[in-house]
Amino acid sequence: MIRVRFAPSPTGNLHIGGARTALFNWLYARAKSGKFILRIEDTDSVRSKQEFVEEILNSLSWLGFNWDEIYYQSKRFDIYNEYAHKLLNEGKAYQEKAIGKSGEAIIFKVPQQKIKIQDLIRGGIEFDTALIKDQVLIKSDGTPTYNFACVVDDAAMQITHVIRGDDHISNTPKQALLYEALGFTVPEFAHLPLIMGIEGGRLSKRTGATAISDYRKMGYLAPALVNYLLLLSWAPGNNVEVIDINEAIKLFDVTQVNRTSATFDLKKLDWISNQYLKNADPEKLLEELLPLLKAKKYIGEDGFDRDYILKLVKLFQARLAHLNDFVDWADFFFVQELKISPEAEKKFLAQDLSGEFRLFIEKLDKLGKFDILSIEEGFRELVKELNIESKALIHPIRVALTGKTIGPGLFEVIYYLGKDRTKERLSHWIKGER
Ligand code: GLU
């Protein structure tokens, strides 16, 4: 049975890189009907924080990477000590007292040899351990080092495949020596390629090294983010980019992961995100959006018109790249005091349009039916009568009603705002009626 693990250190939030490692482990387990194990590497009691453990678990759950087993290294110190003493007794390690420290460290005698590892992604890699110093297994304060705890646990947890970031490649020979010394079978290794920022170099805060919880706050749907993470180092083939995770589970194999480094491109993420949002069930989107609208106090805790908001969601859905876009773009449907962008006002409402706006209001009042089509007809009649171009009036009306220069079709905006609010917002710009 395939057993893989994701082994985060809770010294920070779950970021893009960690989430991709978690995804590829989880996906491989699901693809091969194996087990996905979560191991919290919290041996450093100073830097490890409970809040990060919670943040990591919440982010993994939100992404849908459900784990089959969970372990905390901080609760396993006895096991590491036992194995360290085994190596001591066998003469493969020695004790050393550090100056000024009370306890004694246990140190592994690194045997000089050549090591060959067949990495499932990178192929054969050779190391010469002559360059590796003797390795601390247990520090003088009794805590195990990463390499040692990792090997003891991977063996104890019967991990068959170690799938992790390329940044750990230099640890691999050290770990391979420890497996041998302890008489454990060496697992398969698969090192995932580096993720670079769009301008090259490591991911920085600006280029995407942001916590998964922040992407959630920014309004990405979890399946969209997972889909994007997937594309960072794997392609489903046939130029498919938008892929359901259950489809991916059927197709995925870790040996097909790209060898070359990946580039984190926010624009691409937004494109994927838009694909998910535009095809989402509007009812489900509404469920995700209601808390955001409540947080903004655009609607109350209850007593809002759900069906009306659902229609607004449908009006914007095709353009959304983030859930929050709806909150930002559709604000004018919810606020009493319309905020008008100063540039938009300067560009489209600087001239006096009192006459035109008054006539348009009259047209709206005279409509037999207040529906999208009739509103458009009324508008077309007016521009014909005034002998002006549509756009001379469309943009100013849009800015007066929405505060923005872009948005959904104007006649739909008017219809959903309703006649009263439309008249009120236009009147604001009619001299003598303010
Ligand atoms: N705790 C290590 C990390 O967060 C795990 C490395 C590994 O997967 O072996 O990078």
Side-chain angles (χ1 to χ4, degrees), residues 14 16 19-20 23 26 58-66 212-231 242-245 269 272-274 276-277 280 284-285 288 321-324:
L14 183 69
I16 288 292
R20 183 204 48 176
L23 164 64
W26 174 84
N58 283 339
S59 294
L60 291 172
S61 303
W62 178 67
L63 292 168
F65 307 156
N66 48 330
I212 294 300
S213 50
D214 286 330
Y215 286 96
R216 183 180 186 177
K217 279 187 219 128
M218 283 184 251
Y220 292 99
L221 296 178
L225 192 54
V226 170
N227 191 147
Y228 180 68
L229 290 174
L230 201 56
L231 299 184
V242 178
I243 180 167
D244 181 79
I245 194 67
L269 170 60
I272 296 276
S273 179
N274 171 257
Y276 277 80
L277 285 163
K284 287 213 180 99
L285 273 191
E288 301 261 3
H322 320 90
L323 288 167
N324 301 31

Side-chain angles (χ1 to χ4, degrees), residues 56-107:
I56 292 168
L57 298 188
N58 283 339
S59 294
L60 291 172
S61 303
W62 178 67
L63 292 168
F65 307 156
N66 48 330
W67 51 90
D68 302 301
E69 296 165 26
I70 183 170
Y71 302 95
Y72 291 81
Q73 287 192 324
S74 58
K75 298 191 182 134
R76 299 170 59 81
F77 280 20
D78 288 351
I79 305 172
Y80 311 131
N81 259 298
E82 192 187 306
Y83 281 106
H85 278 92
K86 182 171 181 273
L87 292 177
L88 264 183
N89 294 338
E90 290 170 2
K92 295 175 182 167
Y94 55 92
Q95 277 176 305
E96 199 172 79
K97 200 166 159 55
I99 313 153
K101 299 248 173 78
S102 54
E104 281 187 310
I106 302 179
I107 297 167

Side-chain angles (χ1 to χ4, degrees), residues 306-338:
R306 207 192 145 87
D307 289 343
Y308 174 66
I309 303 173
L310 185 63
K311 286 182 188 135
L312 299 183
V313 170
K314 289 181 187 161
L315 193 59
F316 285 89
Q317 192 175 351
R319 299 161 192 250
L320 304 177
H322 320 90
L323 288 167
N324 301 31
D325 292 340
F326 178 79
V327 182
D328 296 338
W329 297 346
D331 61 341
F332 62 88
F333 282 113
F334 299 98
V335 296
Q336 293 292 338
E337 284 287 314
L338 185 67

Side-chain angles (χ1 to χ4, degrees), residues 180-191:
E180 270 178 35
L182 288 161
F184 298 147
T185 355
V186 185
E188 300 274 2
F189 287 99
H191 286 93

